[in-house]
Amino acid sequence: MPEPHGSPPASTVGVIGGGTMGRDIAYVHLAAGARVVLVEATRERLDAAVEVVRGHVARRVERGQLAAADAGSALARLVPALDLALNELTHAGLQ
């Protein structure tokens, strides 16, 4: 599928909010190979969102759709953050 307007895919994606949509958006971009900065307001909500993303990745491994090494690589690209001013977002191609 061609990128809109010929844009290259974002190598870093910023996701603000790890609720139902945010954590799924984070997972989709991780699966596509992007580095994802997932920002939440509280540690509790951030930890919950990260656990859901880990669960999505683990299910793909269990189903044989993803190698364990690739799962580790995907999860290593997930950057949980509590600070919107985090420098990590300055280079995000998609926010």
Side-chain angles (χ1 to χ4, degrees):
M1 179 172 180
E3 293 296 318
H5 308 288
S7 302
S11 59
T12 299
V13 175
V15 178
I16 311 300
T20 301
M21 287 183 62
R23 60 191 180 214
D24 288 347
I25 290 168
Y27 165 72
V28 167
H29 286 284
L30 283 174
R35 180 173 171 267
V36 176
V37 180
L38 179 59
V39 182
E40 247 307 347
T42 68
R43 171 60 61 191
E44 181 179 272
R45 290 179 6 198
L46 182 61
D47 290 346
V50 168
E51 281 307 307
V52 169
V53 172
R54 286 185 181 148
H56 287 329
V57 172
R59 275 189 293 287
R60 286 196 64 203
V61 171
E62 290 168 7
R63 294 176 182 160
Q65 299 169 332
L66 184 66
D70 293 334
S73 175
L75 291 174
R77 292 190 307 274
L78 179 61
V79 181
L82 290 170
D83 186 356
L84 269 177
L86 189 69
N87 240 0
E88 302 289 346
L89 288 176
T90 59
H91 301 292
L94 182 62
Q95 297 179 7

